[in-house]
Amino acid sequence: MSETASSSGFDEVALDSDWDGLFIGGEWRRAEDRDRIDVTNPSTGDLITQVPAASRDDVDEAFAAAKEAQVDWENASIEQRASVVRGVAQLLEEYEDEIREILAAEGGSTKSKQDIEWGGSVTFGYDAAQYAYRADGRHAQSQIPGKENIVQRKPVGVVGVISPWNVPLKLSFRAVAPAIALGNSVVLKPAQETSISGGLLLAKLFEQAGLPDGVLNVVTGHGSVAGDQAASHPDCDVMAFTGSTGAGRMVGKNVVEHFGFPALELGGNNPHVVLEDADLDKAVDAGTFGSFWNQGQVCISINRHIVHESIYDEYAERLAERAKNLKVGNPVDDDDVVVGPIINESQRDEMMQYVEETVEAGGEVIAGGESDGLFVEPTVITNVTNDMSAACNEHFGPIVPVIPFSTDEEAVELANDTEYGLAGSVHSSDLGRARDVADQIDVGMMHVNDQTVNVEPHMPFGGMKDSGIGRYNGEYIIDELTEVKWTSVQREDRGYPF
């Protein structure tokens, strides 16, 4: 039996605020008889808070509230919709210190990761507010005399969002903000490890920004219960899911069963190709950041370094030296930490198994290779082939397998030899050559003389092959969160054949 909580207990934004509630229909519900999920600090193992494990009935109530609220929200003025999203961006700025503390404690975010996640969320919020004005239609000529054709964009209805733990605030907000700006309502299910920054925080911010009751609903819980129910719910018109390809397959199957649209941003095995004429300083700089930012726990991080054989040894040695000098530790205590903790034991164990299997297959660890608690040393492995565990799997950790190649054609073949197609990068002093190689690599996002961790709010974000369906950001997410309606108006009498 659920109990409606007093809003006064949920009106603060701070790490030690009250987070023990579901947000449904504009009310904070403690759901006293529900199981609780521990939210812990991965650096220390300390308990931060507990949040409710939503039941399937809770999810059903959230969708009912969202469906009821959506009609009025769609009919709200575009400025009201834009103003609410803009207000959240302003609150993100106002609560910067508090949000940084939450990101560091809950997700193990280093300062550089906080900079990008918090700062990127602010920028994205201001940009997404304008989507309310940008979802325009058009008039078109007709082949029938006296007819006017009108194409309109209308919100899809109720948008489900299942977000991941690795960049929780930004990856939740990039779906929630556009959906709300465009006149949809939302049911958000954050990852259980980051229930605060990926969900409950946004509920508080949108509530403070004046969002009407029921337009945003947040249900914390287990993926096998709350997530499955959200993806399977017949009132879910679009499901925006970010996570592993395996989980995405199940989510997508559940969504299309009731003819909802699956917007799936899934895994990656992203190549960093370094041609023999590359500027090594720049290639190593880019490779270091693209591999070790957020401990490599990013779908667009560099998973494989594919390096020409003539510069292979020097590149690997330089990268190893950089890796050895990166500071590892608890980002809550030290702003100079570059590599923080892995999110949980299962993730750590999986990536360390990939390292062990790669060494057994002939790979050589020249930096790192060990773990202490949830801290994994920045690791560089040489003598790697594309079929070794650390290379063929999305390791999702601070691990750098370095793979040699001899020709541009071989580099392209190696880069494409994966089921994924999310992001990639190519380094060369000859931009034309770099573009030639880049154009042959099958990814949704490619970066020349840079690295793979790039996001801009107006550029399409998404992948090919098993890396997902659809695109986020700008006009691309507007397409996915609206439906096109054609209306024709016959303004002159029309003759018919019978």
Side-chain angles (χ1 to χ4, degrees), residues 312 355 358 363-366 379-384 390 399-402:
Y312 181 87
V355 172
T358 299
E364 180 184 355
V365 174
I366 62 172
T379 299
V380 178
I381 313 174
T382 56
N383 299 331
V384 178
I399 298 167
V400 174
V402 189

Side-chain angles (χ1 to χ4, degrees), residues 264-478:
L264 307 177
E265 197 264 282
L266 308 177
N269 188 338
N270 310 305
H272 182 63
V273 178
V274 183
L275 305 180
E276 74 271 18
D277 63 349
D279 183 316
L280 269 186
D281 290 335
K282 294 178 181 177
V284 170
D285 280 347
T288 301
F289 177 82
S291 294
F292 299 122
W293 184 79
N294 197 30
Q295 299 76 260
Q297 298 178 126
V298 197
C299 60
I300 53 174
S301 67
I302 298 171
N303 205 83
R304 294 171 294 153
H305 293 239
I306 300 174
V307 182
H308 192 272
E309 59 189 10
S310 66
I311 58 172
Y312 181 87
D313 290 340
E314 182 178 1
Y315 179 89
E317 289 169 4
R318 288 196 190 188
L319 198 61
E321 189 62 29
R322 292 288 296 276
K324 292 173 184 177
N325 289 320
L326 296 177
K327 190 170 186 178
V328 180
N330 182 351
V332 175
D333 297 334
D334 189 347
D335 281 348
D336 292 330
V337 164
V338 175
V339 178
I342 302 305
I343 192 68
N344 57 41
E345 291 181 357
S346 64
Q347 290 290 133
R348 178 206 59 198
D349 292 347
E350 183 176 66
M351 67 183 67
M352 296 310 294
Q353 181 180 348
Y354 292 152
V355 172
E356 181 180 342
E357 291 173 350
T358 299
V359 171
E360 290 174 353
E364 180 184 355
V365 174
I366 62 172
E370 301 294 333
S371 64
D372 180 9
L374 292 182
F375 297 99
V376 173
E377 293 178 338
T379 299
V380 178
I381 313 174
T382 56
N383 299 331
V384 178
T385 59
N386 218 34
D387 59 351
M388 292 182 182
S389 290
C392 67
N393 294 292
E394 183 185 24
H395 51 65
F396 225 64
I399 298 167
V400 174
V402 189
I403 303 168
F405 71 90
S406 58
T407 66
D408 290 4
E409 291 76 18
E410 184 184 6
V412 170
E413 182 179 353
L414 287 168
N416 285 334
D417 186 20
T418 173
E419 68 267 33
Y420 299 108
L422 191 57
S425 49
V426 176
H427 273 254
S428 173
S429 60
D430 182 338
L431 292 182
R433 180 186 178 195
R435 276 296 307 274
D436 287 343
V437 171
D439 287 348
Q440 297 176 71
I441 298 175
D442 298 328
V443 293
M445 299 170 286
M446 172 57 69
H447 308 286
V448 172
N449 287 344
D450 197 357
Q451 44 73 49
T452 55
V453 183
N454 280 282
V455 181
E456 296 190 37
H458 60 302
M459 288 291 101
F461 190 101
M464 301 178 180
K465 301 194 286 189
D466 288 4
S467 288
I469 298 171
R471 295 292 185 272
Y472 285 92
N473 301 345
E475 63 192 87
Y476 310 95
I477 193 67
I478 291 175

Side-chain angles (χ1 to χ4, degrees), residues 23 38 142 151 187 190 215 234 242 253 323 372 391 415 454 459 462 477 480:
F23 188 64
D38 289 346
S142 173
V151 180
V187 175
V215 178
T242 304
K253 181 179 179 180
D372 180 9
N454 280 282
M459 288 291 101
I477 193 67
E480 295 183 11

Side-chain angles (χ1 to χ4, degrees), residues 121-138:
S121 296
V122 171
T123 301
F124 186 80
Y126 285 117
D127 188 71
Q130 298 307 306
Y131 294 1
Y133 291 90
R134 291 168 57 184
D136 51 4
R138 65 188 181 94

